Amino acid sequence: MGSFTKAGRATDKDAILSGLAPPVHYYTLIQRCRSLYHGLWFRLSEGLRWSRRPYHETPIGSLSGLAPWQVERIDELQARYAVRFESHYGRHTALANYTYIDILDQAWTAKNRHVPQGLAVTDVGCANFWYARALHAFFRPATLTGIDVEGFRLYPTGYSRYDAACGYIAPLPQTSFVVADYCKVEKQADVITAWYPFVTPSPVLAWRLPLRIFSPARLFDSIALNLTEKGFFFMVNQGTEEAAIAADYCRQAGLRFLDQWIQTRPLRARPHPAVASWWKL
Ligand SMILES: C[S@@+](CC[C@H](N)C(=O)[O-])C[C@H]1O[C@@H](n2cnc3c(N)ncnc32)[C@H](O)[C@@H]1O
């Protein structure tokens, strides 16, 4: 295992090779200042735990301005999974849900994998769990739990992340949102999913979070500890480089690689392709 002896410039690659979260002195001054600033807001919001009531988006009703092939694909997904996200959400969230269920559908179909249904599913780092409905439609789980370390970020609407999460999960049976550091969570699940988990420090700051929450080795250890013997971990990363870093963390945590799929035709363009992978104990 590497160590962080070099002060000053923090490169994501060094952090990656170490397998440990770098100590604070390893980051640049600007990174540390940004981290401090985000840390203040993070502590404040977690201390206040602001909550009004569940926030429900105003449904857009129908999606316009899409290319014919996107309309066709959305029609397919609607028929296959009995979903109509635009009846529940605004345009952005509705399209984003189609994007996630499209990734799930394409990945499982391409790899000819059996979709396990009726199991306990945990999603790690779920943000406000805006995609709970897509996961629910795909896995038809016995229970669905979204866990995020940040629960009370305040939005310009005056609602918090917690309020938004409560709104997203309200109509979904056996679904919950838990505010917790997953590194400390003990909760067995048959299916654990993680969409774009942090595996390098830069995105942590981009998400306006303090660097002290960045400890990928511990996060992946927890995933391995919480996975049932017959269960599997499904992860989506941004691009092959990030997927390779995440794969190293999986292996270090004792997870065994099963399969990988790289998206070539995304429903909405992204700078890097979604890379899905399946892991077991
Ligand atoms: C890149 S974002 C992805 C969010 C979401 N999965 C999505 O696809 O929109 C990573 C998320 O992981 C959460 N996170 C980071 N470390 C965590 C931890 N130790 N425990 C729980 N959540 C964590 C962050 O708060 C953030 O919401």
Side-chain angles (χ1 to χ4, degrees):
M1 199 173 281
S3 61
F4 289 92
T5 49
K6 187 165 53 116
R9 300 210 144 263
T11 65
D12 286 353
K13 190 154 175 254
D14 293 326
I16 295 148
L17 292 175
S18 147
L20 283 173
V24 164
H25 69 259
Y26 186 76
Y27 297 110
T28 63
L29 186 62
I30 290 181
Q31 283 177 315
R32 278 187 274 161
C33 289
R34 285 181 64 194
S35 176
L36 256 172
Y37 178 76
H38 298 326
L40 281 175
W41 282 106
F42 180 70
R43 269 205 301 279
L44 188 70
S45 65
E46 295 312 302
L48 275 177
R49 300 177 84 82
W50 174 263
S51 172
R52 287 172 68 184
R53 57 178 183 276
Y55 173 76
H56 298 279
E57 288 192 31
T58 307
I60 184 84
S62 64
L63 295 168
S64 56
L66 299 172
W69 70 267
Q70 288 173 310
V71 174
E72 201 180 310
R73 178 64 181 145
I74 286 175
D75 284 350
E76 257 173 44
L77 293 167
Q78 286 179 341
R80 195 165 301 162
Y81 297 102
V83 289
R84 222 183 113 74
F85 298 120
E86 59 274 36
S87 303
H88 307 279
Y89 308 132
R91 179 183 171 84
H92 177 80
T93 311
L95 278 175
N97 268 275
Y98 283 120
T99 305
Y100 274 29
I101 206 166
D102 176 53
I103 291 174
L104 289 164
D105 180 74
Q106 282 198 49
W108 254 267
T109 308
K111 292 294 170 178
N112 203 16
R113 297 193 75 84
H114 163 71
V115 181
Q117 296 193 327
L119 301 177
V121 178
T122 294
D123 184 72
V124 177
C126 65
N128 62 21
F129 222 10
W130 57 265
Y131 52 97
R133 195 179 281 271
L135 294 185
H136 213 277
F138 188 77
F139 290 112
R140 306 213 164 276
T143 59
L144 175 62
T145 311
I147 301 179
D148 204 284
V149 69
E150 191 192 22
F152 295 92
R153 170 180 298 213
L154 193 59
Y155 298 138
T157 53
Y159 289 90
S160 63
R161 176 178 269 193
Y162 185 81
D163 297 331
C166 289
Y168 289 128
I169 65 170
L172 305 174
Q174 303 299 328
T175 302
S176 50
F177 172 67
V178 177
V179 181
D181 178 351
Y182 190 74
C183 301
K184 297 177 188 157
V185 169
E186 285 178 26
K187 182 176 173 52
Q188 293 279 289
D190 307 303
V191 180
I192 300 181
T193 58
W195 294 77
Y196 309 109
F198 295 140
V199 292
T200 60
S202 304
V204 178
L205 294 174
W207 272 71
R208 292 184 285 133
L209 285 166
L211 288 165
R212 69 181 158 78
I213 70 122
F214 178 65
S215 47
R218 287 178 57 222
L219 189 88
F220 283 84
D221 280 350
S222 258
I223 289 171
L225 281 171
N226 283 322
L227 202 56
T228 58
E229 215 167 295
K230 287 189 176 158
F232 68 89
F233 172 49
F234 176 76
M235 170 168 66
V236 181
N237 301 110
Q238 200 144 222
T240 48
E241 205 175 309
E242 191 187 279
I245 299 164
D248 279 349
Y249 282 120
C250 283
R251 289 193 189 94
Q252 280 176 38
L255 293 165
R256 195 160 53 81
F257 176 77
L258 288 178
D259 216 338
Q260 188 190 62
W261 169 83
I262 303 177
Q263 192 175 34
T264 51
R265 199 167 197 227
L267 195 53
R268 282 195 311 169
R270 286 187 77 105
H272 301 284
V275 179
S277 57
W278 293 260
W279 301 81
K280 264 192 91 56
L281 282 179

